[in-house]
Amino acid sequence: SGEGALHIHSASTHVDSATAAMSKRPHSHLSKAANGAEGGFQYKECKVVAEIGCNHMGKMDIAKELMRLAKDCGAAYAKFQKRCPKELLTEEQYNKPHPVPTNAYGATYGAHREFLEFSVEQHRELWEYGKEIGIEWATSTWDVTSAREMITIPCDFLKAPRRAAPPPPRKSTRTCVPPLDNCTCAGKWEGTRAAVEAARATRGRAG
């Protein structure tokens, strides 16, 4: 109808106006190359990381379903978590009951964490599954053993959580990223600065 055509034309006009406005915005100094020429800074598409964590409840079919949902929502990465509970926790922490019993998958917090862990082979299966459906696999590594295990999977990145800062040892830093996102999200400038300094200190030293 004429009214419908009016709405469509109006929407199109708004889009054209927005595009024109963006084209007229002043160029950032970051777009300059070192010699002052244009094109020194390249804007790239933002990549969304879907945090699956341990919400798979220790079940591979749920993990894969969550990966499919992340893919359908447009995420570029489906990120999990990897822990070695006996290395990460003290003996006392391992043997304590879960602080929220209704959420526990074991009699102790350590047993609960063990139940939720996928093996290296299972994480590799998820990496392969991601390749099949068109989404990349990634994980955070909460301890040195986990970092050494997960580095064997040829992913784009591993994440070192703020809890695990500073980043894993030199042989792990080749594909691990510093815990910048967790620190900044937590709103603690001191943690962010420490993470940046740790990243600078390890740059170029991976063995």
Side-chain angles (χ1 to χ4, degrees):
S1 68
E3 184 181 356
L6 178 62
H7 284 305
I8 293 172
H9 174 72
S10 176
S12 176
T13 302
H14 285 308
V15 171
D16 291 341
S17 299
T19 302
M22 290 179 68
S23 67
K24 293 179 181 178
R25 67 183 180 181
H27 291 292
S28 167
H29 70 282
L30 295 176
S31 64
K32 302 283 187 181
N35 61 3
E38 295 290 340
F41 186 84
Q42 300 280 332
Y43 287 96
K44 295 185 179 181
E45 182 181 358
C46 176
K47 293 187 177 181
V48 176
V49 179
E51 175 62 41
I52 294 176
C54 294
N55 290 308
H56 49 71
M57 299 183 286
K59 297 180 180 179
M60 183 63 69
D61 58 337
I62 295 178
K64 290 182 177 180
E65 181 181 0
L66 291 172
M67 291 182 77
R68 289 194 300 271
L69 289 171
K71 164 70 166 52
D72 292 344
C73 290
Y77 295 90
K79 192 183 81 62
F80 295 86
Q81 296 177 5
K82 186 72 175 84
R83 295 172 175 83
C84 177
K86 289 189 175 178
E87 179 176 327
L88 181 64
L89 303 172
T90 66
E91 184 176 355
E92 180 183 5
Q93 290 170 331
Y94 192 97
N95 292 316
K96 274 188 174 181
H98 193 290
V100 185
T102 54
N103 293 343
Y105 289 95
T108 66
Y109 184 70
H112 162 81
R113 292 253 56 103
E114 299 279 9
F115 181 90
L116 293 173
E117 285 303 313
F118 283 152
S119 65
V120 177
E121 292 73 22
Q122 287 174 307
H123 275 286
R124 185 174 290 275
E125 181 180 341
L126 292 172
W127 171 76
E128 292 173 347
Y129 181 71
K131 295 292 186 185
E132 291 176 14
I133 66 172
I135 188 169
E136 294 296 327
W137 167 95
T139 187
S140 53
T141 55
W142 290 66
D143 50 79
V144 174
T145 295
S146 295
R148 287 174 174 163
E149 291 177 342
M150 295 295 98
I151 204 173
T152 63
I153 301 175
C155 58
D156 287 349
F157 72 90
L158 299 179
K159 174 175 174 263
R162 187 164 58 95
R163 164 73 184 272
R170 289 173 55 182
K171 289 191 176 181
S172 299
T173 54
R174 178 166 54 87
T175 59
C176 289
V177 295
L180 299 179
D181 54 349
N182 267 19
C183 286
T184 51
C185 287
K188 298 184 184 300
W189 170 243
E190 295 80 7
T192 303
R193 178 161 31 191
V196 170
E197 292 305 319
R200 286 175 176 167
T202 57
R203 181 179 298 167
R205 296 192 311 163

